[in-house]
Amino acid sequence: MKLVWSPETASKAYIDTVKSCEIFNESGVAELVAAMAAGWNAGFIVETWSQGGAIATSIGLAVASRHTSGRHLCIVPDEGSRLEYVEAIGEAGFSPEVIVGDAEEAVKGLVGINFMVVDSRHKDFAGVLRLAKLSNRGAVLVCKNAYSRSASNFRWRSVVEEEGSRRLHRSVFLPVGEGLDIAHVAVGGVNYRSGKGVVSRWFKHVDQQSGELHVFRK
């Protein structure tokens, strides 16, 4: 099973986020993220947030979780951030789960993430992505504020494929807001003989003598 795109759900989430975020003067990040999360029918949405951060993206994720009947959870570093986050998103009519603590430690206890948004301005963002336990359907990972990334040498493959069962399916950088760096990650099976995750891939081979096309999986 893998993530399947639903344009109808994406469209509905986009429109609802526009309505919910009309008081914010931002550049479409919330609407885009909401559409992606809803369109991929994300059942478990996780984000990181800290005091003083923009709340519109969080509202977009909350909107998406309503459309997918999914779980929306936010990791914040301290009590001050929790209070500000809960008050701001509560005013918009939402009440997602909140975990207070170190993001890298908190994400270790979360399993089956379909959609994740982290803030590139925080030095631990790559570690959070690396430690995330993704759904066996795969996941979409988003780095917001990517223009101000704290780690300028960040590469998706070094984060995603360090753990053997994950494979970078595709990635894209969008000049929206302060920059969105997005990756679609596929999750493979498990090699029970070695205990390590492996990814099954399809290969094509053309027989030079007969001209026949052979397709095999490895």
Side-chain angles (χ1 to χ4, degrees):
M1 183 181 292
K2 63 180 181 179
L3 291 175
V4 178
W5 178 256
S6 170
E8 181 180 358
T9 308
S11 177
K12 290 179 180 178
Y14 183 94
I15 293 171
D16 286 350
T17 303
V18 170
K19 295 176 181 177
S20 298
C21 295
E22 58 186 0
I23 63 173
F24 300 100
N25 185 23
E26 296 189 17
S27 52
V29 173
E31 293 89 344
L32 178 59
V33 169
M36 286 193 297
W40 287 114
N41 195 30
F44 188 15
I45 300 169
V46 176
E47 64 169 320
T48 62
W49 191 89
S50 60
Q51 198 165 13
I55 199 67
T57 300
S58 300
I59 293 174
L61 294 174
V63 169
S65 68
R66 282 190 176 178
H67 281 278
T68 65
S69 298
R71 181 185 178 191
H72 173 205
L73 182 146
C74 181
I75 302 172
V76 298
D78 49 50
E79 185 63 16
S81 295
R82 187 191 71 81
L83 291 172
E84 184 176 320
Y85 179 87
V86 170
E87 180 180 0
I89 203 165
E91 290 177 353
F94 300 98
S95 55
E97 298 177 59
V98 181
I99 293 179
V100 179
D102 177 77
E104 290 188 64
E105 288 300 317
V107 80
K108 291 179 182 178
L110 306 177
V111 179
I113 298 170
N114 298 122
F115 197 92
M116 188 172 199
V117 179
V118 298
D119 193 335
S120 298
R121 294 176 300 183
H122 299 162
K123 62 181 181 180
D124 65 348
F125 81 96
V128 174
L129 293 170
R130 185 177 291 110
L131 293 169
K133 298 174 182 176
L134 307 181
S135 163
N136 57 13
R137 296 169 54 213
V140 175
L141 308 177
V142 180
C143 294
K144 64 180 182 180
N145 297 314
Y147 285 134
S148 58
R149 180 173 294 144
S150 59
S152 59
N153 61 344
F154 174 82
R155 296 291 183 275
W156 277 114
R157 288 192 185 280
S158 65
V159 170
V160 169
E161 297 185 352
E162 184 177 278
E163 198 276 304
S165 65
R166 308 197 307 185
R167 177 171 58 87
L168 181 63
H169 184 60
R170 65 170 64 91
S171 64
V172 62
F173 186 96
L174 300 178
V176 180
E178 294 302 316
L180 288 177
D181 203 352
I182 305 165
H184 182 190
V185 181
V187 177
V190 176
N191 184 334
Y192 292 101
R193 291 176 298 175
S194 65
K196 297 180 179 180
V198 296
V199 176
S200 297
R201 301 185 182 182
W202 291 98
F203 294 85
K204 296 180 181 180
H205 172 71
V206 178
D207 189 301
Q208 297 299 318
Q209 293 184 338
S210 66
E212 294 181 341
L213 174 65
H214 302 277
V215 180
F216 61 96
R217 195 172 188 177
K218 184 176 181 181

